[in-house]
Amino acid sequence: MWCYRGGSISTEPRINDRIRVPEVRLVGPSGEQVGIVPLAKALELAQEYDLDLVEVAASARPPVCKLMDYGKFKYESAMKAREARKNQAHTVIKEMKLRPKIDPHDYDTKKGHVVRFLKQGDKVKITIMFRGREQSRPELGYRLLQRLASDVEDLGFIESNPKQDGRNMIMVLGPHKKKTEAMAEAREAQAARKAERQGLALTDDEALAEDAEFEAEDADIEAAEVTEVVEDASDEAAEAAEAAPEEAAPEAPAQA
């Protein structure tokens, strides 16, 4: 009785001595058709050309084999797969949270993040969080969302109109550019910047100063993201405190 004992099934093609058939349909190194030849003859030709005999169509009768440099073939295939993954576009939805009465400086900071996300080709979910009496003024959140959409209309559009969701009001902005276009432009800009830097022949001090500037920009972004996390945690704590029932105040002792 046959029993499967587990283990992975190899997807690699059979090569050289691993090929176990009496004859093969042989394809030469340049793609030319050699014809049906005995396996021993095919292996002999592979040795003469200093190449591998690779089974490229195992289901054919007889199987189709090709003379090639299998190591080089595997390397080129891996590079192509890596490049394909690199150019693959994944739909990402970023989120940005605001308060109805947000400070002008905070608004500019968060708008900057929205601009960055849209330039990268990502969608952005904008959430206005109402707290306490702010819940009775939904028009404040609506006007803020409309203002933000107007400020970034060159980069994105309103994909989902503002709608109330419990204590929050939500709107989704979509980018005008596709993710693949944004990625291609970012790579071109990076290459142009690198070429410009090489052409300027910066001194060591200037190069270090420029690197420090780039690192400072990244640090500002990371600091802003950390601040958002802290603010979100603070907002959630405040909302939880509001939702909790108020403890009954102790009664004053009666006067004699």
Side-chain angles (χ1 to χ4, degrees):
M1 180 178 177
W2 180 86
C3 178
Y4 176 67
R5 296 183 181 277
S8 59
I9 300 175
S10 175
T11 57
E12 294 286 332
R14 293 186 296 183
I15 66 172
N16 300 327
D17 294 337
R18 295 181 182 178
I19 302 173
R20 304 290 186 180
V21 292
E23 58 183 14
V24 299
R25 185 179 298 277
L26 187 62
V27 179
S30 302
E32 70 275 14
Q33 296 290 332
V34 178
I36 298 176
V37 300
L39 177 62
K41 178 63 175 178
L43 290 171
E44 183 181 335
L45 289 173
Q47 289 182 349
E48 288 181 9
Y49 285 104
D50 194 22
L51 295 172
D52 298 301
L53 182 66
V54 182
E55 190 178 55
V56 294
S59 59
R61 291 293 178 268
V64 180
C65 295
K66 185 177 180 181
L67 298 175
M68 67 172 75
D69 184 338
Y70 187 58
K72 181 180 179 182
F73 169 76
K74 285 189 66 175
Y75 174 77
E76 291 177 348
S77 298
M79 289 299 99
K80 288 179 181 178
R82 181 180 178 184
E83 191 65 23
R85 288 194 300 269
K86 184 178 178 181
N87 294 329
Q88 209 170 22
H90 300 281
T91 301
V92 178
I93 300 181
K94 304 289 188 177
E95 185 172 10
M96 189 59 56
K97 296 181 179 181
L98 296 83
R99 284 289 182 191
K101 299 178 181 179
I102 188 171
D103 179 82
H105 176 72
D106 291 340
Y107 173 81
D108 290 338
T109 300
K110 291 182 180 288
K111 183 182 73 174
H113 293 322
V114 174
V115 167
R116 179 163 55 88
F117 295 149
L118 292 174
K119 283 184 176 179
Q120 292 173 352
D122 296 323
K123 296 182 181 181
V124 188
K125 175 184 176 183
I126 312 296
T127 302
I128 304 295
M129 301 180 297
F130 297 95
R131 190 168 62 186
R133 296 181 180 179
E134 294 174 348
Q135 297 179 65
S136 63
R137 301 287 304 278
E139 68 276 6
L140 296 177
Y142 183 82
R143 284 201 295 266
L144 182 58
L145 290 176
Q146 292 296 323
R147 173 189 172 190
L148 180 59
S150 177
D151 288 345
V152 299
E153 61 182 355
D154 293 340
L155 300 171
F157 61 95
I158 299 178
E159 185 173 289
S160 177
N161 288 316
K163 62 180 181 181
Q164 195 77 25
D165 182 16
R167 293 188 176 191
N168 301 327
M169 183 175 288
I170 298 171
M171 177 182 72
V172 178
L173 295 175
H176 288 313
K177 293 180 181 178
K178 295 182 179 179
K179 183 72 172 180
T180 50
E181 295 176 357
M183 291 171 63
E185 288 186 1
R187 284 196 297 270
E188 289 177 2
Q190 184 179 16
R193 200 170 184 178
K194 185 177 180 181
E196 181 182 0
R197 177 173 176 175
Q198 292 174 346
L200 289 174
L202 300 177
T203 65
D204 292 341
D205 291 341
E206 290 172 334
L208 289 173
E210 186 172 301
D211 289 339
E213 183 179 348
F214 294 157
E215 291 176 0
E217 291 178 0
D218 294 338
D220 288 342
I221 293 173
E222 291 178 0
E225 292 175 349
V226 171
T227 301
E228 289 173 14
V229 172
V230 173
E231 289 178 353
D232 292 344
S234 176
D235 292 339
E236 291 175 1
E239 290 177 2
E242 289 180 3
E246 295 182 357
E247 297 182 0
E251 295 181 359
Q255 295 181 355

